[in-house]
């Protein structure tokens, strides 16, 4: 069982890195939010996995539900900011923010 | 075990495709598939409620939000001038990170299994949400309300021209200013 968890942690860290890389190199604001989403998915899996590893899966589920709600609100607000920015400047380029 | 690993590998491959593709519409759809994969993994961890939330909210609602915003942006302006060399470098950087995380990050997280076991896994989820973690619900309501108010303030209803004129130039102020100007002229 320990081996399964170690492989899972490995894949979760890779998923987190993929999201981080997208967030760092992309200049497209929508793609950056997609990177943030990928990172948050890795965090969600990490919470559930730690709950499974310590026999507290239901507690982890309760926290995961809160995390999903926060994720939705963050995405909704950031997408509305992107759309407002697009309306003002006619672009979704991050360079034009400064 | 094989099913579990296959799901993880599928998610990693889909995430790489979502990052590397030029078309953001396509990457938003790929993100929905990643959410479906994550929810299937949550099912394998015997956490069905989180999986259902993930499937309905992340694969459904968030994809809908992404697609609606991308559709509102003009097709020519969806692509931004980016250094594609950094994107093409990504498949080469990923194996390096994979090797590093195999040796450093995975053993680091292994210590999680040594954390204290609360042994409350026999409690049903409803009892945990409604009794043990009631404060989370208040937080959820607060976050939801904050999100709704933030979006409402971003897309505030524009005033009609007459109302805007009244607010910007109230008649009483106009009169006062006029009187002040008259006095200045007299003096």
């Amino acid at each position: 069982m320990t081996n399964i968890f170690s492989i899972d942690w490995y894949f979760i860290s890779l998923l987190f890195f993929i999201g981080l890389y997208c967030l760092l190199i992309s200049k497209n604001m929508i793609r950056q939010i997609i990177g943030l989403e990928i990172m948050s998915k890795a965090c969600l899996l990490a919470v559930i996995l730690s709950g499974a590893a310590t026999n507290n899966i239901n507690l982890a589920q309760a926290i995961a539900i809160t995390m999903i709600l926060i994720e939705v609100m963050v995405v909704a607000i950031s997408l509305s900011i992107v759309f407002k920015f697009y309306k003002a400047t006619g672009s979704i380029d991050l360079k034009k923010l400064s | 075990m094989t099913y579990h690993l296959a799901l993880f590998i599928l998610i990693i491959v889909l995430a790489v495709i979502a990052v590397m593709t030029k078309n953001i519409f396509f990457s938003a759809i790929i993100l929905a598939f990643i959410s479906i994969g994550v929810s299937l993994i949550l099912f394998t961890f015997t956490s069905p409620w989180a999986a259902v939330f993930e499937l309905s909210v992340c694969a459904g609602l968030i994809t809908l939000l992404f697609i609606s915003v991308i559709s509102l942006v003009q097709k020519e302006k969806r692509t931004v001038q980016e250094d594609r060399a950094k994107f093409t470098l990504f498949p080469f950087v990923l194996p390096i990170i994979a090797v590093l995380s195999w040796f450093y990050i995975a053993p680091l997280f292994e210590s999680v299994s040594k954390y204290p076991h609360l042994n409350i896994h026999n409690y049903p989820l409803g009892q945990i949400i409604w009794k043990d973690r009631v404060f989370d619900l208040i937080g959820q309501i607060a976050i939801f309300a904050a999100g709704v108010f933030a979006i409402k303030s971003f897309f505030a209803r524009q005033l009609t021209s007459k109302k805007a004129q009244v607010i910007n130039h109230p008649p009483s102020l106009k009169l006062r200013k006029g009187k002040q100007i008259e006095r200045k002229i007299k003096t």
Side-chain angles (χ1 to χ4, degrees):
Chain A
M1 201 66 182
T2 316
N3 287 330
I4 296 172
F5 283 135
S6 65
I7 292 166
D8 287 354
W9 285 123
Y10 172 68
F11 282 121
I12 286 168
S13 58
L14 270 186
L15 194 66
F16 189 85
F17 170 74
I18 292 167
L20 188 70
Y21 193 85
C22 181
L23 206 66
L24 287 175
I25 63 166
S26 184
K27 299 281 184 292
N28 192 325
M29 289 168 98
I30 293 175
R31 196 185 294 280
Q32 283 211 323
I33 300 168
I34 288 170
L36 192 76
E37 268 288 289
I38 293 170
M39 279 169 74
S40 68
K41 298 237 178 296
C43 294
L44 184 81
L45 280 172
V47 167
I48 290 291
L49 190 63
S50 55
T54 55
N55 286 330
N56 302 324
I57 193 72
N58 279 344
L59 184 66
Q61 271 195 90
I63 294 165
I65 289 166
T66 312
M67 274 181 74
I68 289 167
L69 193 121
I70 293 166
E71 193 182 314
V72 170
M73 277 300 129
V74 167
V75 168
I77 292 169
S78 48
L79 279 175
S80 63
I81 290 169
V82 169
F83 184 65
K84 202 75 180 168
F85 180 74
Y86 170 71
K87 278 282 189 188
T89 61
S91 170
I92 50 170
D93 193 350
L94 199 72
K95 279 181 187 170
K96 291 190 178 175
L97 199 65
S98 55
Chain B
M1 173 76 178
T2 319
Y3 172 68
H4 193 76
L5 280 179
L7 278 174
F8 263 113
I9 291 164
L10 184 75
I11 285 172
I12 298 291
V13 171
L14 285 175
V16 171
I17 293 168
V19 172
M20 286 197 68
T21 185
K22 272 187 180 179
N23 191 352
I24 49 168
F25 194 83
F26 185 61
S27 53
I29 290 165
I30 293 277
L31 190 72
F33 283 105
I34 293 171
S35 295
I36 292 167
V38 169
S39 66
L40 288 174
I41 288 173
L42 295 181
F43 269 117
T44 61
F45 277 122
T46 61
S47 52
W49 285 102
V52 166
F53 260 79
E54 174 72 25
L55 195 63
S56 60
V57 176
C58 294
L61 181 69
I62 291 180
T63 312
L64 191 78
L65 285 172
F66 268 113
I67 287 171
S68 56
V69 169
I70 292 166
S71 318
L72 285 168
V73 175
Q74 280 179 5
K75 208 170 185 180
E76 307 86 50
K77 290 173 181 174
R78 283 178 202 168
T79 48
V80 174
Q81 276 190 341
E82 287 173 318
D83 187 9
R84 292 303 298 177
K86 286 176 185 171
F87 285 94
T88 47
L89 203 70
F90 183 51
F92 301 102
V93 175
L94 194 63
I96 299 166
I97 297 296
V99 171
L100 285 175
S101 65
W102 182 262
F103 286 109
Y104 294 103
I105 296 173
L108 190 77
F109 283 108
E110 268 301 293
S111 60
V112 171
S113 53
K114 291 169 193 164
Y115 285 1
H117 290 224
L118 298 177
N119 291 323
I120 57 165
H121 60 282
N122 291 327
Y123 289 10
L125 182 68
Q127 193 178 341
I128 292 170
I129 289 177
W130 296 108
K131 285 185 180 172
D132 295 340
R133 301 194 66 88
V134 181
F135 195 73
D136 279 11
L137 292 173
I138 298 164
Q140 282 181 22
I141 293 163
I143 289 161
F144 192 76
V148 168
F149 283 124
I151 291 166
K152 186 154 171 33
S153 66
F154 281 132
F155 300 103
R157 197 173 56 179
Q158 285 184 340
L159 295 166
T160 54
S161 57
K162 274 187 179 178
K163 279 184 181 175
Q165 208 175 1
V166 169
I167 289 168
N168 292 329
H169 307 286
S172 56
L173 270 173
K174 257 187 179 177
L175 282 173
R176 279 177 203 164
K177 276 182 184 174
K179 278 179 184 176
Q180 280 176 354
I181 291 162
E182 277 175 16
R183 278 173 197 166
K184 276 181 184 176
I185 291 164
K186 278 176 187 175
T187 51

